[in-house]
Amino acid sequence: MGLFGLFNKSKKETLDKGLEKTKTSVFDKLTRAIAGKSMVDDDVLDNLEEVLITSDVGVETTLKIIERIEARVARDKYVGTSELNMILRDEIAALLAENNSQDNESWDLPESENPYVILIVGVNGVGKTTTIGKLAYQFKQAGKKVYLGAADTFRAAAVEQLCIWGERVGVPVIKQQMGSDPASVAFDTLSSAKANHADVVIIDTAGRLHNKVGLMNELKKIKDVMKKVFPEAPNEVMLVLDGSTGQNAFEQAKQFSAVTQITSLAITKLDGTAKGGVVIGISDQLKVPVKYIGLGEGMDDLQLFNKKQFVDSLFNRE
């Protein structure tokens, strides 16, 4: 079994509950889109296009989905509106399955003598620190030795919040004085992790929306000093996005991808929004896999993202 376990009944219930607002919104819009219609025709398809776009799926991904449904209607000749949610589920799942990224049913750390180093990036307010805390908790529950690095040295609140999470989870947090060089914090964290034979290191970074050149230089410096301790570090650069911001999250993803190599995404706060459709668009449009989704405040409410389970949950009326 993988580090974070297989998708089970408890996780399915959390996923269903976390997507409830998005699901209700989508079905309400679908009901209006097919009102008075018995079969899928051009009017229904036009209305469906509006449903998907207003559900934050995104224009490009929406057009792909509509094209697939048009092809299915042409092939099957007659498609009833009563089947539309099932067709949507099938076609969106098929579209996302064509991406290169694999579904995350379970995940384990790769074999290595050195710790697995995760560099966390993202703007302020998206849930970076909470995501770090939940990741640390899940790694520790799996029996791993975890170190956290407070490299967001520009906000006292960021360091304090990370320290609170460290105490709550029971893992050490490496920090320096406010205004210290973030790269220096990263170096100290990896050095301590090396000396104490840690399994996982998670580094927080500043979430300022500063200019792209400054952000690029800062992240490059952090990566360069990491490599002095572990040449392969960081093993993962995870961008955290707030799902409740809809298309703004997609724009942030594009901006961060332009300044540094992002290897994975975590999309948070999906339980409090009707904009969960953004996960479909981001998963389809970006070449970076969505690895985690946040579905609540609980320690276990950060789940590995599984495209099939996500779409099944979103379009299942039961």
Side-chain angles (χ1 to χ4, degrees), residues 41-156:
D41 57 16
D42 289 342
D43 287 341
V44 169
L45 288 172
D46 286 343
N47 292 338
L48 177 59
E49 183 176 319
E50 184 179 346
V51 168
L52 294 172
I53 290 174
T54 57
S55 298
D56 285 273
V57 171
V59 174
E60 291 186 41
T61 301
T62 291
L63 293 177
K64 287 185 183 180
I65 294 167
I66 295 298
E67 285 175 3
R68 297 178 78 103
I69 294 177
E70 283 178 332
R72 183 159 175 173
V73 170
R75 183 181 70 242
D76 296 348
K77 304 302 180 187
Y78 181 92
V79 176
T81 52
S82 60
E83 306 170 69
L84 194 54
N85 70 304
M86 180 187 70
I87 293 168
L88 267 173
R89 181 190 63 193
D90 292 347
E91 295 304 327
I92 292 174
L95 176 66
L96 297 185
E98 292 170 5
N99 293 352
N100 292 329
S101 58
Q102 295 180 343
D103 272 332
N104 299 304
E105 292 187 359
S106 62
W107 184 71
D108 213 338
L109 291 175
E111 290 292 332
S112 175
E113 295 180 356
N114 296 328
Y116 190 83
V117 181
I118 305 172
L119 182 66
I120 304 290
V121 300
V123 302
N124 292 332
V126 297
K128 279 194 295 113
T129 311
T130 301
T131 298
I132 292 169
K134 291 178 179 178
L135 278 175
Y137 169 77
Q138 294 188 23
F139 278 120
K140 189 174 181 186
Q141 288 295 106
K144 305 301 181 183
K145 192 172 185 177
V146 184
Y147 269 65
L148 304 181
D152 183 353
T153 60
F154 296 92
R155 289 191 311 130

Side-chain angles (χ1 to χ4, degrees), residues 142-280:
K144 305 301 181 183
K145 192 172 185 177
V146 184
Y147 269 65
L148 304 181
D152 183 353
T153 60
F154 296 92
R155 289 191 311 130
V159 177
E160 290 169 6
Q161 190 181 5
L162 195 66
C163 289
I164 290 170
W165 271 104
E167 290 176 9
R168 186 182 302 173
V169 177
V171 300
V173 178
I174 307 301
K175 62 179 182 177
Q176 292 184 7
Q177 292 182 340
M178 290 304 302
S180 299
D181 183 359
S184 176
V185 177
F187 182 85
D188 284 355
T189 305
L190 265 64
S191 297
S192 296
K194 183 177 183 178
N196 290 281
H197 307 289
D199 300 302
V200 181
V201 177
I202 308 174
I203 305 288
D204 190 17
T205 61
R208 297 166 299 145
L209 278 171
H210 48 352
N211 68 78
K212 290 184 178 181
V213 174
L215 178 61
M216 185 184 298
N217 291 340
E218 186 173 294
L219 293 176
K220 182 179 184 301
K221 186 176 180 182
I222 290 173
K223 290 179 179 179
D224 287 345
V225 300
M226 282 182 169
K227 293 184 185 302
K228 293 180 180 179
V229 186
F230 301 118
E232 68 275 19
N235 302 89
E236 187 170 347
V237 180
M238 182 183 296
L239 173 62
V240 181
L241 300 168
D242 179 350
S244 70
T245 63
Q247 287 303 296
N248 285 338
F250 185 67
E251 288 303 313
Q252 287 176 20
K254 290 197 292 187
Q255 290 173 18
F256 269 91
S257 295
V259 299
T260 192
Q261 185 179 8
I262 306 298
T263 62
S264 65
L265 300 170
I267 303 179
T268 66
K269 307 182 185 181
L270 291 175
D271 56 308
T273 182
K275 297 182 177 182
V278 71
V279 177
I280 296 170

